[in-house]
Amino acid sequence: MNIDFLKEMGLTAKTKEEIQFTHPLVLAYIGDAVYEVFVRIYILHQYGGNVNGLHKLATKFVKAAAQAEIVHLLEPRLTEEEWGIIKRGRNQKSGTTPKNANVGDYRYATGFETLIGYLYLTEQYLRLEEVIKYALEIIEQKETIHE
């Protein structure tokens, strides 16, 4: 988030230390939104189409099973700190039951979203883009995007 926006709103950005102590589900909440925006922008430019078609494409990138696979393939590329953040998110009990995913995938997806939220809030934008680029490439290779 642009620090100027927070200043315009009369707010102060949280420090990295404050973000490190933020509850993992809060980081996942932010990460979910950030990842969704990146996915939507990507599919708009890569595929185009109408809103219904874009939504159907987006679900292939954001579903829990896809995010869980991303985590498993991404693991060797992560720092110890990043893997620790994913594990913190994965190990949280969210209080909701996944509708279209198994519990294991849902937990790893939460871990992935936790990492995305953490990278975004700590303003590690280059690393965030690297992780999301790799995630998109994984899904592109795995899924049949246009059915």
Side-chain angles (χ1 to χ4, degrees):
M1 165 146 319
N2 187 325
I3 302 273
D4 292 336
F5 171 76
L6 292 175
K7 286 180 185 174
E8 290 287 325
M9 298 301 296
L11 301 170
T12 304
K14 293 189 178 298
T15 66
K16 185 174 181 177
E17 292 74 29
E18 289 171 320
I19 293 165
Q20 287 173 326
F21 289 107
T22 298
H23 194 283
L25 293 179
V26 172
L27 296 175
Y29 170 75
I30 298 298
D32 176 56
V34 169
Y35 182 62
E36 180 84 24
V37 168
F38 272 88
V39 166
R40 287 181 182 201
I41 290 168
Y42 171 75
I43 63 172
L44 170 68
H45 289 86
Q46 179 70 10
Y47 299 102
N50 61 37
V51 172
N52 187 44
L54 291 170
H55 175 72
K56 285 180 182 177
L57 282 170
T59 59
K60 294 180 184 230
F61 290 87
V62 301
K63 64 186 177 183
Q67 291 181 359
E69 181 159 6
I70 290 165
V71 169
H72 295 303
L73 294 173
L74 190 63
E75 184 179 356
R77 297 176 178 226
L78 297 172
T79 66
E80 258 185 66
E81 177 188 29
E82 291 167 342
W83 183 243
I85 291 163
I86 286 175
K87 289 194 314 189
R88 280 181 56 216
R90 179 198 66 193
N91 293 339
Q92 295 302 304
K93 304 253 189 294
S94 69
T96 60
T97 309
K99 291 179 230 162
N100 299 315
N102 71 50
V103 174
D105 285 351
Y106 186 75
R107 289 204 172 157
Y108 274 102
T110 302
F112 176 71
E113 292 169 348
T114 302
L115 176 62
I116 297 300
Y118 177 79
L119 293 173
Y120 183 77
L121 290 173
T122 57
E123 300 177 10
Q124 297 181 59
Y125 301 130
L126 290 177
R127 182 61 175 155
L128 173 67
E129 289 175 8
E130 287 174 3
V131 169
I132 291 176
K133 179 180 182 288
Y134 188 65
L136 297 174
E137 289 170 354
I138 289 169
I139 302 308
E140 285 283 8
Q141 292 171 7
K142 177 79 174 153
E143 290 283 340
T144 304
I145 299 301
H146 279 298
E147 296 179 334

